[in-house]
Amino acid sequence: MSTADDGADRSLGQLVATATAEMSALVHDEIALAKAELRQDAKRAGIGSAAFLVAGALALFALPVLSFAAAYGIHNLGLGLAWSFLIVGGAFLVIALLLVLVAVAKLKKIKKPEKTITAAKETAAVLQNVKPHPRPATEDHPVLESVTRSSV
């Protein structure tokens, strides 16, 4: 490491600019990590929610129309009308139950963004240990001594 890299020859403005740039890059990188982790879980949540919506649409809209058609089709095969409607209703409930199980399986795979949480905790721990740069005493600065203080 050269002497230019150790910060001894750099001005206060350069040090503040470097620290600000590094802090900005750190925050930017942590936000990017959070987005990457949440994007994957959002996709799973979208698939699970879509499965719930499809199950609901089947139950609300398709069930009455298709059940009448299927029940009358089964009735034409020689089974009683009541039994035909019961078979069709049970079949639609089984299909809806399968879609709900798929949705629950997808939604259970959603996890919290553990990498982001860990990185944020590490950053917070590092920042808590940072000590401010020691300031020189006021007697070393004649300009500061000449400033009068008001008693308001």
Side-chain angles (χ1 to χ4, degrees):
M1 188 165 168
S2 69
T3 57
D5 291 335
D6 65 3
D9 295 342
R10 296 164 63 183
S11 70
L12 179 62
Q14 291 171 331
L15 291 173
V16 169
T18 302
T20 303
E22 288 177 2
M23 191 62 123
S24 175
L26 176 67
V27 169
H28 179 71
D29 290 345
E30 287 192 11
I31 289 172
L33 175 63
K35 283 181 181 179
E37 284 186 297
L38 292 175
R39 187 176 299 124
Q40 186 178 28
D41 286 339
K43 183 177 178 182
R44 288 182 183 142
I47 291 170
S49 299
F52 272 123
L53 288 174
V54 169
L58 276 176
L60 291 176
F61 300 118
L63 186 64
V65 173
L66 295 176
S67 63
F68 273 100
Y72 280 111
I74 292 172
H75 178 66
N76 286 338
L77 294 175
L79 200 58
L81 193 57
W83 286 108
S84 300
F85 275 99
L86 187 62
I87 291 169
V88 171
F92 279 117
L93 287 177
V94 167
I95 291 170
L97 178 65
L98 290 175
L99 286 172
V100 167
L101 291 176
V102 168
V104 168
K106 289 293 182 183
L107 292 175
K108 280 187 177 180
K109 290 184 180 179
I110 295 174
K111 300 179 240 173
K112 49 184 180 173
E114 294 177 13
K115 291 178 186 176
T116 302
I117 292 170
T118 303
K121 285 181 181 178
E122 288 174 2
T123 301
V126 167
L127 292 178
Q128 285 177 349
N129 295 330
V130 172
K131 295 186 174 146
H133 186 64
R135 299 178 191 262
T138 56
E139 59 266 6
D140 293 342
H141 292 287
V143 174
L144 294 178
E145 289 177 358
S146 66
V147 174
T148 57
R149 299 184 189 256
S150 64
S151 60
V152 178

